[in-house]
């Protein structure tokens, strides 16, 4: 486009109609400085109001424009003047700007226009940082002509995002001040149902039922609620992960827009790798609620081979012991220097909300994980989970070997490698070498183990031996989260999407976050029975509890479980029962997963006298033995050790009672009653006289108290005149 240097070269335009907007004009570039040019147009001065009205009635960005600043000159005040000198100067700014009173806080509801624009304090909730503004100059040389200079035609904030109107994803539409009260819980519920693909009619019905709890029955409320749901559906349909064609630039824009959901961000550079830590307000609340003095866990293996950057998930266990994601970290770096950065930022954020928050334990699933940052920042014991190694071994055995008996035997041998790590007689590497010799005909499978696992099996065994092992229930919960994440992420993805970080971020913060929010909300509120039922039975452990013991039958070295889905005549066969390395012939287990039949068989098998302890229990016994070996016999250190063990034993007993008992009141009745002394009055700024007041005071203390009481009575008497 040619850049004009003089207003005299710009044609005058007069569009037809009562109103017209910028779309009806042909804009010309006018050089306003050496390195800058603005979009300008000339119109009759008498039609300036028609232009402003047309801009206010923009269907995509309905607004009003207020005069931000203005100047005027008297005719004849200039002896010499240029072609663009003004007789009257006014800068019009969108009423949603220029300030942004929502910056640093929660998103502000959008308004159709801002009333009382002269007084900004009257409607501060409408100030959203819109940068759209233009200047109108009534030309000194041609008073009947107005020069319009459009500095910013887009209704966006300083970050380049739409900040009001129907296209604003945080907007709730025109007439927002008249909308019924919609709490954050109802908003999140409606958004979750939308993201999960529930039909809009069903979402609307649920939304109306929610707001009627606050507003009662009202036709206008129903109408406005319908508009709200339609607008929200339109925003969600139009939302996209691709804020910019360049993935790195798109992530920067997302981080700038979602600061409250980002606890750590480090852009990729020559010396620093890319790190993005995501935690929403709801996830922060769940981390404080379920993670305090309880278990934290991680899923560190998602997307290692498929995604541009792997996903590390921090998990807590809710009231049903299901894994709940409370933070997502996207990065390829696992070095101590980088891990400690985001981990410190996360702990600081949690403790800023609750200074008393402390983690009870941290479960890892990768021996390459850095342990020092966890010990330093979370200050808690570290456990090791076997779900990842078990799943990897089983999937590759089923993939590379077709003979069922050979599959079961190889899996049993690999289980022996793990079971013998605490034995002084058996050598794990010798058992592994013997397996290679006995199954030399399984060329593909043995080659895989030799090339992939032998170089690092020592690292895994050392971690399993040195760290306490987590239970099969927690392994099943972590695996359940991993499988749900895999299903939600890869169900509609393409190869191009997998290589974009903004796509993964969008998927996590919309569909996956909504799914977990709705699961927990349905379970605790009793709403959406179908969702609750699916959530309650979402782990193999919870599904195993629904199988009666009589459905399990042992026949020699195998076990059979009566199928709960069929007519009650078919059975599932489990080889190597009683071990964490059992194989079932059900469809779920043949995909490499820990199935409910294996867990149920192990539950029943533990009741047998010949049953051996589970790996996690053997690990627990080893920790207790190590404690007893530390202090010297007949020493004070032994007394202290026994006192600590007794205290821990009492806590474990109480915790087990609470976990297994259905009646909390019956457990509470058995607790000892503790008498607490009443706190005395605190004297701020008054030096203490050294007296110590106890709940049972002697005569001297009673005398002091009486004097104070008498003085108080005398003051009351003086005030009342009695």
């Amino acid at each position: 486009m040619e850049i004009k240097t003089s207003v005299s070269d710009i044609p005058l335009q007069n569009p037809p109609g009562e109103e017209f907007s910028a779309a009806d004009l042909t804009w010309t570039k006018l050089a306003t400085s050496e390195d800058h040019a603005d979009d300008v147009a000339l119109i009759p001065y008498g039609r300036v109001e028609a232009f402003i009205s047309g801009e206010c009635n923009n269907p995509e960005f309905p607004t009003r424009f207020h005069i931000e600043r203005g100047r005027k000159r008297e005719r004849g005040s200039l002896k010499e003047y240029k072609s663009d000198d003004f007789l009257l100067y006014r800068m019009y700014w969108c009423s949603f700007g220029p300030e942004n009173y929502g910056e640093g806080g929660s998103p502000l509801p959008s308004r159709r226009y801002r009333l009382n624009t002269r007084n900004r304090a009257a409607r501060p909730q409408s100030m959203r940082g819109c940068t759209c503004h233009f200047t109108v100059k009534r030309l000194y040389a041609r008073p009947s002509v107005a020069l319009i200079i459009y500095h910013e035609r887009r209704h966006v904030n300083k970050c380049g995002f739409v900040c009001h109107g129907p296209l604003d994803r945080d907007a709730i539409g025109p007439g927002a001040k008249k909308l019924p009260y919609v709490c954050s819980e109802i908003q999140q519920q409606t958004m979750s149902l939308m993201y999960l693909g529930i039909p809009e009619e069903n979402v609307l019905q649920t939304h109306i039922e929610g707001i009627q709890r606050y507003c009662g029955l009202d036709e206008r409320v129903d109408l406005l609620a319908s508009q709200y749901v339609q607008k929200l559906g339109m925003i969600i349909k139009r939302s996209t992960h691709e804020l910019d064609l360049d993935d790195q630039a798109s992530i920067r824009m997302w981080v700038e827009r979602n600061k409250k959901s980002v606890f750590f961000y480090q852009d990729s550079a020559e010396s620093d790798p890319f790190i993005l830590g995501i935690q929403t307000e709801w996830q922060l609340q769940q981390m404080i609620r379920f993670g305090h003095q309880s278990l934290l866990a991680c899923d560190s293996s998602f997307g290692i081979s498929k995604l541009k950057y792997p996903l590390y998930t921090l998990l807590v266990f809710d009231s049903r012991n299901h894994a709940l994601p409370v933070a997502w970290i996207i990065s390829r770096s696992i070095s101590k220097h980088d891990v400690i950065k985001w981990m410190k930022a996360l702990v600081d954020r949690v403790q800023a909300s609750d200074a008393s928050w402390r983690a009870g334990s941290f479960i890892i699933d990768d021996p390459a994980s850095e342990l020092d940052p966890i010990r330093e920042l979370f200050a808690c014991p570290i456990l090791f989970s076997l779900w990842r190694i078990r799943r990897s071994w089983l999937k590759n055995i089923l993939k590379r070997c077709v003979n069922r008996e050979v599959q079961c035997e190889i899996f049993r041998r690999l289980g022996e490698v793990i079971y013998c790590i605490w034995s002084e007689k058996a050598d794990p590497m010798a058992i592994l070498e013997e397996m290679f010799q006995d199954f030399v005909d399984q060329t593909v499978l043995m080659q895989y183990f030799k090339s992939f696992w032998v170089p690092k099996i020592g690292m895994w065994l050392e971690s399993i031996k040195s760290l306490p092992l987590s239970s099969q229930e927690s392994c099943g919960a972590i695996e359940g989260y991993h499988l749900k994440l895999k299903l939600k992420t890869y169900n509609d993805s393409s190869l191009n999407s997998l290589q974009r970080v903004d796509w993964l971020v969008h998927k996590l913060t919309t569909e996956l976050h909504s799914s977990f929010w709705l699961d927990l909300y349905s379970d605790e509120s009793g709403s959406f029975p179908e969702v609750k039922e699916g959530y309650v039975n979402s782990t193999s452990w919870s599904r195993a509890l629904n199988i009666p013991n009589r459905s399990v039958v042992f026949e020699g070295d195998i076990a059979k479980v009566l199928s709960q889905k069929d007519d009650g005549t078919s059975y599932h066969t489990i080889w190597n029962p009683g071990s964490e390395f059992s194989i079932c012939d059900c469809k779920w287990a043949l995909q490499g997963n820990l199935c409910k039949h294996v867990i149920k068989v192990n539950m029943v098998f533990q009741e047998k006298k010949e049953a051996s302890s589970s790996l996690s229990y053997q690990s627990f016994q080893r920790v207790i033995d190590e404690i007893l070996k530390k202090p010297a016999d007949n020493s004070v250190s032994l007394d202290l050790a026994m006192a600590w063990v007794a205290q821990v034993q009492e806590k474990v007993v109480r915790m087990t009672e609470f976990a297994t008992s259905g009646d909390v009141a019956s457990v509470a009745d058995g607790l000892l009653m503790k008498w607490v002394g009443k706190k005395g009055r605190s004297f701020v700024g008054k030096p203490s006289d050294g007296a110590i007041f106890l709940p049972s005071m002697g005569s001297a203390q009673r005398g002091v108290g009486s004097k104070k009481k008498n003085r108080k009575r005398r003051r009351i008497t003086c005030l009342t005149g009695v």
Side-chain angles (χ1 to χ4, degrees):
M1 179 184 296
E2 181 183 359
I3 299 177
K4 304 293 185 179
T5 58
S6 174
V7 176
S8 304
D9 300 331
I10 302 174
L12 181 66
Q13 302 178 67
N14 189 9
E18 295 182 1
E19 296 179 355
F20 64 96
S21 64
D24 301 318
L25 296 174
T26 301
W27 295 89
T28 307
K29 289 288 185 182
L30 177 67
T32 54
S33 63
E34 294 183 358
D35 55 351
H36 185 72
D38 285 317
D39 290 335
V40 299
L42 284 179
I43 64 171
Y45 179 72
R47 302 212 63 193
V48 169
E49 290 300 324
F51 171 76
I52 296 175
S53 298
E55 286 296 282
C56 291
N57 295 327
N58 187 336
E60 293 185 348
F61 305 100
T63 183
R64 283 185 179 177
F65 284 88
H66 65 271
I67 300 173
E68 184 69 16
R69 65 175 66 98
R71 293 176 61 187
K72 62 180 180 179
R73 294 190 179 107
E74 297 294 335
R75 294 187 181 183
S77 59
L78 296 180
K79 295 182 179 180
E80 296 181 0
Y81 49 86
K82 300 177 183 178
S83 60
D84 60 344
D85 282 339
F86 62 86
L87 189 64
L88 178 67
Y89 170 93
R90 283 180 177 176
M91 176 179 285
Y92 291 85
W93 206 293
C94 174
S95 289
F96 292 95
E99 293 89 348
N100 183 6
Y101 286 98
E103 193 168 7
S106 59
L108 296 177
S110 180
R111 311 293 182 187
R112 182 174 178 83
Y113 53 82
R114 186 168 71 92
L115 297 177
N116 194 4
T117 57
R118 291 292 185 182
N119 183 4
R120 300 272 178 84
R123 295 290 300 280
Q125 64 268 33
S126 67
M127 306 295 282
R128 302 175 66 87
C130 184
T131 59
C132 179
H133 65 289
F134 59 87
T135 298
V136 175
K137 286 184 179 182
R138 186 177 186 182
L139 297 180
Y140 190 90
R142 302 160 65 186
S144 62
V145 176
L147 175 68
I148 301 177
I149 306 174
Y150 230 130
H151 304 285
E152 176 58 71
R153 295 176 60 180
R154 301 176 302 162
H155 289 264
V156 297
N157 56 24
K158 63 181 181 180
C159 300
F161 296 110
V162 174
C163 54
H164 65 89
L167 300 181
D168 177 17
R169 74 170 192 175
D170 294 328
I172 56 178
K177 65 176 181 178
K178 301 177 182 178
L179 276 177
Y181 174 70
V182 182
C183 64
S184 58
E185 182 181 278
I186 297 178
Q187 292 183 32
Q188 183 63 57
Q189 172 185 292
T190 306
M191 289 184 63
S192 299
L193 294 173
M194 284 283 194
Y195 278 121
L196 296 178
I198 306 298
E200 194 170 293
E201 296 79 11
N202 299 347
V203 177
L204 175 59
Q205 181 63 32
T206 304
H207 182 76
I208 292 177
E209 292 173 357
I211 63 176
Q212 282 178 350
R213 296 200 301 265
Y214 301 94
C215 305
L217 299 175
D218 189 345
E219 292 183 0
R220 178 167 180 78
V221 168
D222 295 349
L223 176 62
L224 293 173
S226 176
Q227 293 176 356
Y228 175 90
V229 173
Q230 291 176 2
K231 188 65 63 64
L232 187 62
M234 181 178 65
I235 293 171
I236 290 176
K237 290 177 182 178
R238 292 181 179 180
S239 64
T240 177
H241 66 275
E242 217 169 77
L243 302 179
D244 192 279
L245 293 178
D246 180 59
D247 186 38
Q248 194 171 5
S250 181
I251 283 295
R252 289 197 203 101
M253 296 174 69
W254 186 90
V255 170
E256 184 65 29
R257 184 171 184 173
N258 298 271
K259 290 182 179 179
K260 295 187 69 174
S261 298
V262 177
F263 67 87
F264 185 82
Y265 175 63
Q266 177 178 280
D267 207 347
S268 58
E270 293 182 0
S271 57
D272 298 322
F274 174 83
I275 303 175
L276 175 59
I278 303 172
Q279 185 183 60
T280 65
E281 288 291 332
W282 178 77
Q283 287 179 311
L284 174 61
Q285 295 169 10
Q286 306 317 310
M287 185 173 180
I288 295 173
R289 176 186 175 189
F290 294 116
H292 178 58
Q293 298 294 348
S294 188
L295 294 174
L296 297 179
C298 69
D299 174 15
S300 62
S301 62
F302 187 78
I304 290 180
S305 58
K306 292 185 178 181
L307 298 179
K308 182 178 180 180
Y309 294 105
L311 177 65
Y312 183 104
T313 306
L314 191 67
L315 304 165
V316 295
F317 297 92
D318 62 11
S319 55
R320 293 188 180 274
N321 293 331
H322 293 179
L324 195 69
V326 293
W328 291 299
I329 299 89
I330 303 174
S331 180
R332 192 169 293 279
S333 175
I334 58 173
S335 66
K336 178 180 178 180
H337 175 71
D338 295 320
V339 170
I340 205 168
K341 289 181 183 178
W342 65 259
M343 202 170 280
K344 184 179 186 305
L346 180 61
V347 173
D348 290 345
R349 187 186 194 203
V350 175
Q351 293 185 343
S353 298
D354 185 357
S356 64
W357 185 89
R358 296 291 183 274
S361 183
F362 198 106
I363 302 176
I364 64 172
D365 62 354
D366 188 352
S369 301
E370 289 288 345
L371 305 183
D372 290 341
I374 300 175
R375 293 192 174 107
E376 293 173 9
L377 298 171
F378 288 98
C380 64
I382 301 176
L383 278 65
F384 193 85
S385 176
L386 294 174
W387 81 270
R388 185 177 171 186
I389 189 173
R390 181 194 184 278
R391 176 177 171 81
S392 177
W393 281 354
L394 182 57
K395 283 184 65 177
N396 283 280
I397 289 174
L398 296 173
K399 179 181 178 180
R400 292 173 167 83
C401 179
V402 296
N403 189 297
R404 183 58 48 82
E405 294 183 358
V406 176
Q407 291 173 351
C408 299
E409 181 62 21
I410 292 177
F411 201 44
R412 186 189 68 82
R413 296 280 190 96
L414 292 173
E416 288 183 4
V417 173
I418 304 298
Y419 274 97
C420 75
I421 58 175
W422 297 299
S423 175
E424 298 180 356
K425 299 180 181 179
D427 181 11
M429 299 307 296
I431 297 176
L432 199 62
E433 185 62 32
E434 183 180 354
M435 184 190 73
F436 292 152
Q437 296 177 1
D438 292 345
F439 296 98
V440 67
D441 56 326
Q442 300 294 326
T443 309
V444 178
L445 182 59
M446 293 302 108
Q447 184 61 37
Y448 161 76
F449 274 104
K450 289 180 180 179
S451 60
F452 189 81
W453 280 102
V454 169
K456 58 182 181 181
I457 190 68
M459 177 179 64
W460 281 82
L461 295 179
E462 183 60 31
S463 296
I464 295 172
K465 185 176 181 180
S466 60
L467 296 175
L469 300 182
S470 63
S471 65
Q472 199 169 34
E473 182 178 8
S474 63
C475 291
I478 299 173
E479 185 181 70
Y481 164 77
H482 182 88
L483 295 174
K484 182 174 182 178
L485 177 63
K486 184 177 180 181
L487 177 65
K488 293 286 185 182
T489 305
Y490 295 150
N491 59 350
D492 59 349
S493 61
S494 61
L495 183 60
N496 294 333
S497 298
L498 296 176
Q499 296 305 309
R500 289 187 66 97
V501 182
D502 56 1
W503 169 84
L504 177 61
V505 171
H506 182 77
K507 201 76 172 177
L508 293 175
T509 55
T510 55
E511 185 176 344
L512 197 72
H513 184 275
S514 299
S515 176
F516 281 101
W517 184 94
L518 190 62
D519 285 344
L520 191 62
Y521 176 76
S522 302
D523 183 40
E524 296 180 344
S525 67
S527 307
F528 312 109
E530 294 181 358
V531 177
K532 178 178 180 179
E533 183 181 358
Y535 170 70
V536 171
N537 298 316
S538 59
T539 65
S540 297
W541 183 275
S542 58
R543 292 193 293 269
L545 296 177
N546 297 328
I547 302 176
N549 290 357
R550 63 178 181 273
S551 299
V552 180
V553 179
F554 293 94
E555 298 179 357
D557 294 336
I558 63 172
K560 292 186 177 181
V561 179
L562 185 66
S563 176
Q564 306 299 305
K565 293 183 178 180
D566 300 332
D567 54 359
T569 58
S570 60
Y571 285 84
H572 293 289
T573 304
I574 293 89
W575 289 267
N576 194 23
S579 169
E580 279 90 339
F581 294 86
S582 305
I583 291 184
C584 179
D585 62 356
C586 70
K587 184 179 179 180
W588 185 249
L590 294 181
Q591 295 175 3
N593 305 315
L594 179 62
C595 72
K596 61 182 179 181
H597 308 109
V598 169
I599 294 177
K600 186 61 183 181
V601 167
N602 289 348
M603 289 179 179
V604 177
F605 192 81
Q606 291 299 321
E607 300 175 1
K608 293 179 172 291
K609 295 182 179 180
E610 66 272 15
S612 58
S613 302
S614 64
L615 283 171
S616 58
Y617 190 78
Q618 291 182 31
S619 175
F620 175 74
Q621 286 181 317
R622 181 175 175 274
V623 172
I624 299 298
D625 293 341
E626 289 292 328
I627 293 176
L628 295 176
K629 291 178 182 178
K630 292 296 181 184
D633 195 14
N634 294 326
S635 65
V636 176
S637 299
L638 180 61
D639 297 338
L640 292 173
M642 292 301 296
W644 279 107
V645 170
Q647 185 178 7
V648 172
Q649 181 188 18
E650 182 180 355
K651 290 183 178 180
V652 171
V653 170
R654 296 301 180 196
M655 182 184 65
T656 305
E657 289 180 357
F658 277 111
T660 56
S661 175
D663 186 9
V664 178
S666 62
V667 180
D669 291 340
L671 300 177
L672 294 176
M673 184 178 294
K674 294 184 179 180
W675 296 94
V676 181
K678 184 179 180 180
K679 291 185 178 180
R681 181 182 296 178
S682 59
F683 300 90
V684 180
K686 184 177 179 180
S688 174
D689 57 359
I692 302 175
F693 299 97
L694 299 175
S696 62
M697 299 184 293
S699 60
Q701 286 85 354
R702 284 196 297 269
V704 175
S706 302
K707 292 179 181 179
K708 293 182 179 180
K709 189 174 183 180
N710 291 337
R711 285 199 300 268
K712 183 176 181 181
R713 285 177 177 174
R714 282 197 296 271
R715 288 195 298 269
I716 296 174
T717 303
C718 295
L719 292 171
T720 58
V722 179

